[in-house]
Amino acid sequence: LEFRRVLFRSTIEVPAGGEYHLVLADGTKIWLNAESSLVFPVEFSGNKRQVILKGEAYFQVTKDTAHPFRVESEAQVVEVLGTQFNVYAYGHEERTYTTLVEGKVAVTASASGQHVQLMPGQQASLGRQGGEIVVGEVNIQQVVDWKNGMFVFDDLSLEAILRKVARWYDIEVFYSGADVRNLRLSANLGRYDHIDTILELIRAMDKVVVDRKGNVITFSWK
């Protein structure tokens, strides 16, 4: 974990395999996932509360109608008054996802200016390079599983599962054959379990060969 403070602004950087919980000056609570960073002021001033996120974070924002709360990431700005939501904005991922748990949020695409409002249970998806914001219903528990100490896989592809797992366990993942990425799996596992618990679950499907060498794991069809 790295913490820096420069000219009344602080930066927290969470490494692979880590997580961090902080409370801002206004009482807003933030949970940062692995390989994420947050830039925030020591004290909020002016008519806005603003932070900058790279990676994934869960926000429980203190309500203040006179001072909207803004979360800026590379592709979008999320603005709220007081609510709970999750932002997934990793720089190496193709899309950014904002998921509303409680209250209301407005999502604005940085490139096009497109503006949408979400209701609880909805997720806004936006390409990092622009394009249209797509809104749909999602499984909230699966989105915020990491914050609750769980891995919730609800009919997820192997590729989607391992994207979540790799950041937490600090592993590298490779696939022998493109189709193996699309194998689907459902399970609820503890986030603090050993990685072998997940690998054994995949092996038990009797469809995939799992070859592990240190922190490098390769998946291929049997």
Side-chain angles (χ1 to χ4, degrees):
L1 179 71
E2 184 174 344
F3 179 86
R4 299 193 305 272
R5 178 173 292 175
V6 180
L7 295 177
F8 310 109
R9 290 167 68 91
S10 298
T11 300
I12 290 178
E13 296 183 354
V14 182
E19 59 184 348
Y20 192 74
H21 176 220
L22 70 152
V23 180
L24 301 184
D26 67 335
T28 291
K29 298 177 181 178
I30 303 176
W31 289 258
L32 282 168
N33 203 353
E35 292 187 341
S36 301
S37 69
L38 186 79
V39 179
F40 59 97
V42 177
E43 295 285 346
F44 290 111
S45 60
N47 60 357
K48 290 180 181 177
R49 297 173 289 166
Q50 182 171 312
V51 299
I52 301 172
L53 171 70
K54 292 182 180 179
E56 184 171 20
Y58 183 93
F59 295 84
Q60 185 175 320
V61 177
T62 299
K63 188 171 183 179
D64 183 350
T65 55
H67 301 89
F69 192 94
R70 291 164 56 97
V71 181
E72 291 194 11
S73 55
E74 182 178 3
Q76 66 178 24
V77 176
V78 180
E79 186 166 320
V80 304
L81 297 175
T83 190
Q84 296 188 43
F85 60 100
N86 193 85
V87 178
Y88 182 98
Y90 284 102
H92 56 278
E93 297 276 1
E94 293 183 358
R95 300 190 70 81
T96 294
Y97 299 92
T98 302
T99 307
L100 181 60
V101 176
E102 179 182 298
K104 291 184 180 180
V105 300
V107 180
T108 303
S110 301
S112 66
Q114 182 190 1
H115 184 82
V116 300
Q117 289 192 342
L118 299 182
M119 300 297 291
Q122 290 185 328
Q123 181 181 80
S125 171
L126 174 65
R128 286 181 54 244
Q129 303 304 318
E132 181 181 0
I133 298 176
V134 179
V135 176
E137 303 286 333
V138 293
N139 179 338
I140 292 293
Q141 287 190 340
Q142 181 169 274
V143 173
V144 303
D145 58 354
W146 66 272
K147 180 253 183 185
N148 297 322
M150 295 291 295
F151 283 120
V152 178
F153 308 138
D154 182 12
D155 193 34
L156 276 186
S157 69
L158 185 62
E159 182 177 29
I161 288 171
L162 292 171
R163 277 204 304 268
K164 299 178 73 169
V165 168
R167 278 188 292 269
W168 180 241
Y169 292 109
D170 194 15
I171 58 173
E172 292 185 74
V173 176
F174 296 92
Y175 303 93
S176 180
D179 290 346
V180 71
R181 301 169 184 259
N182 299 321
L183 180 68
R184 307 194 78 81
L185 179 66
S186 296
N188 287 10
L189 300 170
R191 183 172 159 96
Y192 300 100
D193 291 348
H194 195 277
I195 188 173
D196 286 344
T197 302
I198 295 177
L199 297 183
E200 288 305 317
L201 181 66
I202 296 171
R203 288 190 180 103
M205 299 177 71
D206 203 30
K207 296 180 179 180
V208 177
V209 175
V210 181
D211 180 26
R212 181 180 181 186
K213 296 179 180 178
N215 70 335
V216 177
I217 304 176
T218 302
F219 298 84
S220 57
W221 287 115
K222 277 194 171 182

